[in-house]
Amino acid sequence: MQPRKRLYLYLLLLIAAVVVMILLRTGMKASRNILPAPRDYHEIIASDELNVVTDYNSIGLYVSGDSLQGFQREMILALEKEWGIKVNLFLENSLDENLEGLQAMRYDLVARNIPVNIQLKDTFAFTHPITLNKQVLVQRKREYNDRIEPIRQHLDLAGKTIHVAAESPVILRLKNLSHEIGDTIFIVEDTTYETEQLVIMVASGDIDFTVCDEKMALRLATVLPEIDIETDISFTQMESWAVRKDSPVLLDSLNSWLDRFKTTAAFRQMYRKYY
């Protein structure tokens, strides 16, 4: 083949390769921009499936003997029966990952005790409050802590180290509290243990402080006499479930069901069982 013809052939092959690369890149960008079809109440009922995520603990879902227990689990089972659909229940302790999965449409509903705040309301829609709760400091009682008195004033948290589960919603409250007292509160995000395990570590003396919601703390205090849970970290907050903002009919349907269900004897019995 003559050198000039060979050069033309190489140029044509190069151009073809560049065109193919551009087409592939354009196709990949387009595919990344394609989102799953929106799922509101009608799409969920038509599919006969509701994808729900909750957390693994004594309030969300846990294993007791050979059975599954948990306030959130029982609430979801009651909803499943009411709506006559199948609930696919997923477990994920990280609230951030729960909400990311909600936005990515892996889940239709985040069913856990979410303290509703302004930042979250900018992005997500929340049901009517299911529970009222507040955050408390978990520390050891005097008789289990070398006669050291428990902290009662927020100012005394200056310079203290508080261990919390990674990505816990309480981190924002602790940072705000640090600003309020005008001093540093050292926050250690534990990527291995969740709140209940951290409370046990406080009781055993492995760490000095963690923060837990009051209802869970009261439950744990019945089996961990070492812990003191008398110091509030936050005001009483509303806790709700979360859905996407593009699911208004789902939100209205959940609110309608919750308003009815919370007046029933079944809900009162469920609430007493876990709280």
Side-chain angles (χ1 to χ4, degrees):
M1 184 180 293
Q2 296 180 359
R4 180 169 294 182
K5 289 183 178 179
R6 187 182 295 112
L7 178 61
Y8 288 154
L9 179 60
Y10 288 160
L11 286 173
L12 286 172
L13 291 173
L14 178 60
I15 292 170
V18 171
V19 170
V20 170
M21 289 174 64
I22 292 172
L23 290 173
L24 286 173
R25 185 172 298 175
T26 303
M28 290 173 66
K29 287 182 178 178
S31 64
R32 283 198 298 265
N33 292 330
I34 295 174
L35 294 175
R39 276 174 59 86
D40 204 344
Y41 177 79
H42 299 297
E43 288 77 19
I44 290 167
I45 296 300
S47 71
D48 199 36
E49 292 188 349
L50 177 69
N51 297 317
V52 181
V53 63
T54 190
D55 49 350
Y56 185 86
N57 55 44
S58 61
I59 300 299
L61 183 150
Y62 65 98
V63 178
S64 177
D66 58 355
S67 64
L68 296 176
Q69 301 287 329
F71 176 76
Q72 304 295 354
R73 176 181 179 272
E74 292 197 23
M75 287 283 288
I76 290 301
L77 289 177
L79 178 64
E80 181 181 51
K81 182 178 179 180
E82 173 76 13
W83 285 5
I85 61 175
K86 176 186 176 184
V87 169
N88 300 315
L89 191 58
F90 300 88
L91 288 179
E92 172 53 62
N93 279 335
S94 167
L95 178 59
D96 282 355
E97 293 192 20
N98 290 173
L99 296 174
E100 287 172 8
L102 184 63
Q103 287 289 66
M105 299 190 191
R106 293 196 300 274
Y107 314 127
D108 303 307
L109 169 65
V110 179
R112 60 184 287 171
N113 292 348
I114 306 174
V116 180
N117 58 46
I118 294 175
Q119 291 88 341
L120 290 176
K121 288 176 73 174
D122 285 341
T123 308
F124 303 96
F126 291 91
T127 63
H128 293 165
I130 298 173
T131 56
L132 296 176
N133 216 336
K134 59 183 175 182
Q135 302 295 327
V136 297
L137 182 69
V138 181
Q139 54 191 322
R140 284 183 300 284
K141 294 175 181 175
R142 182 174 183 269
E143 56 268 35
Y144 298 101
N145 198 30
D146 296 328
R147 318 307 291 177
I148 299 172
E149 294 290 343
I151 286 176
R152 292 290 178 247
Q153 301 296 324
H154 288 167
L155 287 173
D156 293 333
L157 288 172
K160 296 295 190 294
T161 298
I162 300 179
H163 293 251
V164 298
E167 302 175 354
S168 167
V170 78
I171 293 171
L172 177 62
R173 173 57 192 149
L174 288 175
K175 288 180 178 179
N176 289 337
L177 184 58
S178 181
H179 289 300
E180 290 170 16
I181 67 174
D183 210 327
T184 302
I185 298 174
F186 297 100
I187 303 169
V188 176
E189 293 190 56
D190 196 301
T191 58
T192 302
Y193 299 109
E194 296 298 324
T195 302
E196 288 192 15
Q197 287 75 37
L198 292 174
V199 171
I200 294 171
M201 291 172 70
V202 170
S204 64
D206 294 321
I207 59 176
D208 289 325
F209 304 102
T210 189
V211 174
C212 180
D213 72 68
E214 184 183 43
K215 294 187 185 303
M216 183 184 290
L218 288 168
R219 184 182 179 90
L220 292 172
T222 62
V223 294
L224 297 171
E226 301 89 350
I227 63 173
D228 177 283
I229 57 173
E230 299 300 319
T231 303
D232 295 347
I233 290 296
S234 72
F235 297 109
T236 299
Q237 296 173 290
M238 296 181 296
E239 293 183 329
S240 302
W241 291 347
V243 299
R244 289 182 301 276
K245 282 196 170 185
D246 62 1
S247 302
V249 183
L250 174 61
L251 180 64
D252 288 344
S253 301
L254 285 169
N255 282 334
S256 178
W257 174 74
L258 284 169
D259 290 345
R260 295 194 312 274
F261 186 65
K262 286 174 66 178
T263 65
T264 65
F267 176 80
R268 290 191 293 272
Q269 181 180 2
M270 191 184 304
Y271 190 88
R272 285 194 299 269
K273 178 180 177 181
Y274 292 102
Y275 290 113

